[in-house]
Amino acid sequence: MRLAVFQRRPIMGDPERAATIIADDLSWASKQSVDLALFPEGVLTGHSYDPATIAAVAIKRDGPELRTLLGQLAPGHPAAIVGAFERRGGAIFNSAFAIEEGAVTGRYAKAHPNEPGVTAGDDCPVFVRAGLTYGINICADANHPATAQRLADAGARLICYPLNNWLPIATADRWRERSIANLQARARQTGCWVASADVTGTGEGVISHGCTMIVATDGAIVARVAEGQEGVAVFDMRLRKLRRSPPERSAPLHRVRRYGHLPICRSRARRSGGRSRGEITRAPYPDPRRRLGHGGCHNGNPSICRRRTRL
């Protein structure tokens, strides 16, 4: 199972532009043999706490916005989790759509919405990709242990969290470390792997530092996109040995370089028992002719590293 988590700048009210970026990211991910790609909360419509704005951008599952995205996806693209405000009947939900083989195969609606006028979802679907069962919680759901536990009890081994921490500066600073702590707590509590994808950037009086990462079952951060930068982190899992108990060993860390004018994600290591925990990352727009090999690290420009974990 190969997982990619994307950190992108927010796009508000322009689903065509957002669809093009998502499709480009999935095209790159396909070349890297990614199985599942996770995008930030509300990535297709943009996210807001203003009821009028939410109502204006909300889409339908069979509407033109999703059809535009699906029409741009190449055959054999990775499965993807794409968020949007969704109009369903007379209600609006904060939804994350599971997309596979050019079609929407399911959706999850935020169980604990903190956006005015948004209806809480009550379903707890799980999905299977490359032999791995995964589920979705959205942003504020991470504050509620029982919501994550429902997925674990349904057989999920990976919980995906689309996030959108585009907040007033003081609020964003308060949640900067707490968001990370919540993800780690949900991993330890459920025994599941946890992945998140967040927006990043600054606006007038608002900021998102970016909380895009992959967390092991023991709460260790094994891959992360650097704060304040667009990028993607990719992580390999061997399903034969994937288990809910905390991983004991990790493969060596490979550092990556800068590409063009955009910095790629920083790697960090923590020594434990003579081995190190690390991450694989890439520049936002690498040379599409370069492809990840069976293992190790490409040292060309851009440097693209692949790490396989032994669990």
Side-chain angles (χ1 to χ4, degrees):
M1 171 66 171
R2 192 162 220 216
L3 175 65
V5 289
F6 287 88
Q7 185 162 285
R8 290 286 174 252
R9 297 191 182 278
I11 298 174
M12 191 67 210
D14 192 349
E16 289 188 7
R17 181 183 166 207
T20 298
I21 293 173
I22 295 168
D24 286 347
D25 284 339
L26 288 176
S27 177
W28 176 86
S30 182
K31 294 179 176 66
Q32 312 308 323
S33 301
V34 167
D35 296 299
L36 177 63
L38 176 62
F39 292 91
E41 177 185 16
V43 65
L44 187 59
T45 57
H47 184 270
S48 177
Y49 293 99
D50 175 62
T53 301
I54 293 171
V57 302
I59 64 174
K60 293 184 178 181
R61 175 171 174 165
D62 59 353
E65 298 85 358
L66 269 174
R67 288 202 303 269
T68 297
L69 171 60
L70 297 177
Q72 295 184 53
L73 301 183
H77 67 83
I81 299 172
V82 175
F85 284 116
E86 179 195 9
R87 190 178 297 278
R88 203 187 313 168
I92 295 176
F93 296 85
N94 185 338
S95 296
F97 296 95
I99 296 174
E100 193 165 351
E101 298 299 332
V104 175
T105 58
R107 66 177 175 273
Y108 167 80
K110 194 174 185 177
H112 303 278
N114 50 352
E115 304 89 354
V118 173
T119 301
D122 56 9
D123 291 336
C124 182
V126 292
F127 310 90
V128 178
R129 177 67 172 176
L132 182 139
T133 302
Y134 70 92
I136 306 168
N137 279 182
I138 298 177
C139 206
D141 290 342
N143 296 316
H144 301 271
T147 306
Q149 193 61 49
R150 289 178 65 191
L151 292 175
D153 292 344
R157 300 166 80 185
L158 167 69
I159 302 177
C160 297
Y161 283 90
L163 308 178
N164 197 304
N165 285 309
W166 189 254
L167 299 167
I169 295 173
T171 305
D173 288 344
R174 286 200 305 272
W175 280 91
R176 189 173 188 174
E177 298 300 328
R178 184 174 173 183
S179 292
I180 300 171
N182 276 346
L183 298 174
Q184 293 174 311
R186 299 293 77 78
R188 296 188 189 103
Q189 165 216 334
T190 61
C192 294
W193 288 72
V194 166
S196 65
D198 198 3
V199 296
T200 191
T202 59
E204 187 175 350
V206 294
I207 190 172
S208 178
H209 299 292
C211 183
T212 300
M213 62 185 62
I214 298 169
V215 182
T217 57
D218 63 351
I221 299 171
V222 297
R224 184 176 185 182
V225 180
E227 287 188 343
Q229 301 174 8
E230 290 188 284
V232 56
V234 178
F235 191 82
D236 266 333
M237 295 182 287
R238 284 184 175 176
L239 293 185
R240 288 178 310 190
K241 298 182 180 180
L242 185 65
R243 60 182 184 271
R244 286 192 173 179
S245 58
E248 296 177 351
R249 297 182 178 180
S250 296
L253 170 74
H254 297 289
R255 288 193 177 273
V256 290
R257 304 175 182 173
R258 292 179 178 268
Y259 176 66
H261 66 285
L262 290 174
I264 57 180
C265 319
R266 295 177 297 184
S267 297
R268 294 185 296 178
R270 185 180 65 186
R271 291 289 176 183
S272 176
R275 295 181 181 267
S276 61
R277 300 185 183 275
E279 63 189 50
I280 331 130
T281 53
R282 74 163 177 97
Y285 304 101
D287 184 341
R289 295 171 298 178
R290 294 196 62 86
R291 182 181 174 86
L292 294 175
H294 180 70
C297 176
H298 289 294
N299 292 318
N301 187 6
S303 293
I304 303 175
C305 298
R306 176 179 183 179
R307 171 172 174 258
R308 186 180 292 278
T309 305
R310 297 178 180 176
L311 302 176

